Amino acid sequence: MGETLIGPDELELAVSGLSGMVGALLLPAIGAWLRVLLQWIESDRSGLGQQPRLSGLQIIRAVLTSFALFFFFIALGRAAGELREIRVEAPVFAAIVTGLIAGMLFWAIYAAGISALQTDYQRAKQTRRIK
């Protein structure tokens, strides 16, 4: 590897930030692939009526989310490796776990907020229809 252009403190912050990005993208990537899997399972069932098909948009969303997750994961690995080279006994694992947990919590709060906004919008839409 080459020489690092930033200092060890900035590199440690980069490791924490990249692990937060990985944590924030981990659950949406898993969820996107689970949605694709469920659509695939439902499209294979036999029965009366029109069969649901696999959604191309869901597949594209799952692939793009996974691509972004792997991009940040590889960048995290490189940054952690360079930090480990600079500081022989760098506490990289603690920074990564803390960043992952913070990223997952950020995503959970974001998802809960979006879900609440969608519920409020649907409720307001229903009350406008009733009036």
Side-chain angles (χ1 to χ4, degrees), residues 30-43:
I30 292 171
W33 283 111
L34 286 176
R35 277 191 293 277
V36 168
L37 176 66
L38 289 175
Q39 283 183 353
W40 178 70
I41 289 171
E42 288 179 359
S43 70

Side-chain angles (χ1 to χ4, degrees), residues 105-119:
L105 286 175
F106 176 76
W107 179 83
I109 291 169
Y110 172 77
I114 292 295
S115 176
L117 286 173
Q118 286 176 343
T119 303

Side-chain angles (χ1 to χ4, degrees), residues 25-89:
L25 286 171
L26 185 64
L27 294 177
I30 292 171
W33 283 111
L34 286 176
R35 277 191 293 277
V36 168
L37 176 66
L38 289 175
Q39 283 183 353
W40 178 70
I41 289 171
E42 288 179 359
S43 70
D44 194 34
R45 70 168 198 243
S46 60
L48 298 174
Q50 186 178 9
Q51 299 298 322
R53 304 173 90 185
L54 258 125
S55 170
L57 181 63
Q58 289 295 332
I59 293 171
I60 290 171
R61 184 179 295 160
V63 168
L64 288 178
T65 308
S66 297
F67 179 75
L69 174 69
F70 288 129
F71 173 78
F72 286 115
F73 190 72
I74 289 170
L76 172 64
R78 288 183 64 194
E82 287 193 22
L83 181 62
R84 181 75 68 178
E85 282 181 9
I86 292 173
R87 294 184 183 166
V88 177
E89 292 297 323

Side-chain angles (χ1 to χ4, degrees), residues 7-30:
D9 294 332
E10 290 87 10
L11 197 55
E12 190 170 343
L13 288 174
V15 167
S16 296
L18 286 169
S19 62
M21 297 279 243
V22 168
L25 286 171
L26 185 64
L27 294 177
I30 292 171

Side-chain angles (χ1 to χ4, degrees), residues 115-130:
S115 176
L117 286 173
Q118 286 176 343
T119 303
D120 287 345
Y121 174 72
Q122 292 297 330
R123 188 177 306 124
K125 195 168 147 181
Q126 284 294 96
T127 56
R128 276 186 266 138
R129 283 185 187 168
I130 293 173

